Amino acid sequence: MNQQTGKVAIVTGASRGIGAAIARRLAADGHIVIVNYAGSAAAAEDLVRTIEAGSGRAITAQADVSDAGAVARLFDSAEAAFGGVDILVNNAGIMKLAPIAESDDALFDSQIAINLRGTFNTLREAGNRLRDGGRIINFSTSVVGLRLKNYGVYAATKAAAETLTAIMSKEMRGRSITVNAIAPGPTATALFLDGKSPELIDRMAKMNPLERLGTPEDIAAAVSFLVGPDGGWINGQVLRANGGMI
Ligand code: NAP
């Protein structure tokens, strides 16, 4: 556990997977963490207890990021508890795969709602409420570069997140707020593993020269760098954290 920084970090989708690893890492770095979740209340509360057991500071906050009012209340609760917000990690996301010709409206609408509108909702709130000197991390995917079949709608929502990143970094001029995106490659979480055969998982794990899947902790380390003191000169960039896959 590092010294407390006094910085307050909202991590969206922090109940499971990469978001939970980010919450643990940022708390270990000394930041106060708001563990946002949509439905997994018990997992989020367990995570807060684990962070507190390690002398970190965290609270849970339920909010569906696709709901603008809920996102405003998420920021309200962080400000009420800790006086302000310094770091936003826009990690919440879903992935539904199908060829474009076979993608139904629900597949399209749900990913637009959570991955794109959700990112927009939190960015808008952060643009108005983050304290000067803050940091914003959006989540893309290396599939934006790889352009794999079946990932059309998902990758399109993440390409949009990359564009929002670049433009918002310019709009934060004068406030010392950096805006970057992380684009993981295949990472061992439910989002990647569910519904894939062991053979496919093995094949995708070997697409990078390090020949393994990423871990949530690998991605959390990249977030830690970008929101920490050593990442301050990186702004408006997309960091592909994928073992060298692309
Ligand atoms: P995951 O294991 O499926 O976890 C997703 C998290 O997002 C959960 O905590 C979930 O909370 C939350 N969430 C889902 N819908 C939400 C909503 N409407 N509002 C708030 N939270 C919501 O996914 P992951 O693999 O950790 O992915 C995290 C991010 O990395 C995503 O943006 C994903 O696109 C990106 N990514 C992942 C990979 C990969 O291989 N895993 C690769 C590239 C990019 P509840 O449990 O409470 O619903």
Side-chain angles (χ1 to χ4, degrees):
M1 167 66 58
N2 289 329
Q3 221 175 353
Q4 292 293 315
T5 64
K7 306 259 187 223
V8 178
I10 292 177
V11 183
T12 68
S15 49
R16 301 182 282 116
I18 293 170
I22 295 168
R24 278 193 300 272
R25 176 64 192 255
L26 296 191
D29 288 348
H31 306 306
I32 298 165
V33 180
I34 316 300
V35 174
N36 163 252
Y37 65 95
S40 302
E45 278 152 22
D46 274 357
L47 177 59
V48 164
R49 277 192 289 275
T50 305
I51 288 171
E52 287 173 342
S55 305
R57 295 178 70 191
I59 58 169
T60 61
Q62 196 281 336
D64 177 344
V65 294
S66 69
D67 175 344
V71 168
R73 289 191 293 279
L74 170 64
F75 277 75
D76 291 345
S77 64
E79 288 175 352
F82 303 115
V85 180
D86 305 284
I87 296 167
L88 168 66
V89 183
N90 253 331
N91 162 83
I94 59 168
M95 180 174 81
K96 305 226 165 112
L97 304 182
I100 291 166
E102 293 164 29
S103 294
D104 60 18
D105 289 349
L107 178 150
F108 181 86
D109 290 344
S110 60
Q111 292 183 98
I112 292 288
I114 295 173
N115 298 354
L116 178 50
R117 181 178 287 282
T119 299
F120 163 72
N121 284 339
T122 49
L123 287 180
R124 181 171 55 185
E125 218 58 47
N128 288 306
R129 298 170 74 163
L130 226 60
R131 290 193 280 227
D132 287 2
R135 303 284 170 86
I136 298 174
I137 308 293
N138 292 320
F139 263 73
S140 179
T141 167
S142 290
V143 169
V144 169
L146 275 175
R147 299 175 178 172
L148 295 178
K149 285 186 290 186
N150 300 328
Y151 285 76
V153 175
Y154 173 70
T157 64
K158 296 300 192 172
E162 292 191 9
T163 301
L164 291 170
T165 299
I167 291 175
M168 189 156 175
S169 69
K170 295 180 178 159
E171 293 173 352
M172 291 297 100
R173 178 182 289 271
R175 293 178 54 195
S176 300
I177 292 174
T178 64
V179 189
N180 292 291
I182 292 186
T187 306
T189 70
L191 178 140
F192 170 73
L193 297 169
D194 285 0
K196 291 193 177 71
S197 67
E199 294 73 30
L200 179 58
I201 291 168
D202 193 50
R203 201 160 66 240
M204 292 189 77
K206 296 214 163 80
M207 285 172 76
N208 72 71
L210 304 185
E211 298 189 309
R212 67 170 176 83
L213 292 179
T215 64
E217 289 71 25
D218 288 326
I219 309 305
V223 174
S224 168
F225 164 65
L226 288 174
V227 308
D230 292 341
W233 192 233
I234 317 289
N235 192 18
Q237 306 300 311
V238 179
L239 176 58
R240 287 182 177 159
N242 60 28
M245 183 175 62
I246 181 169

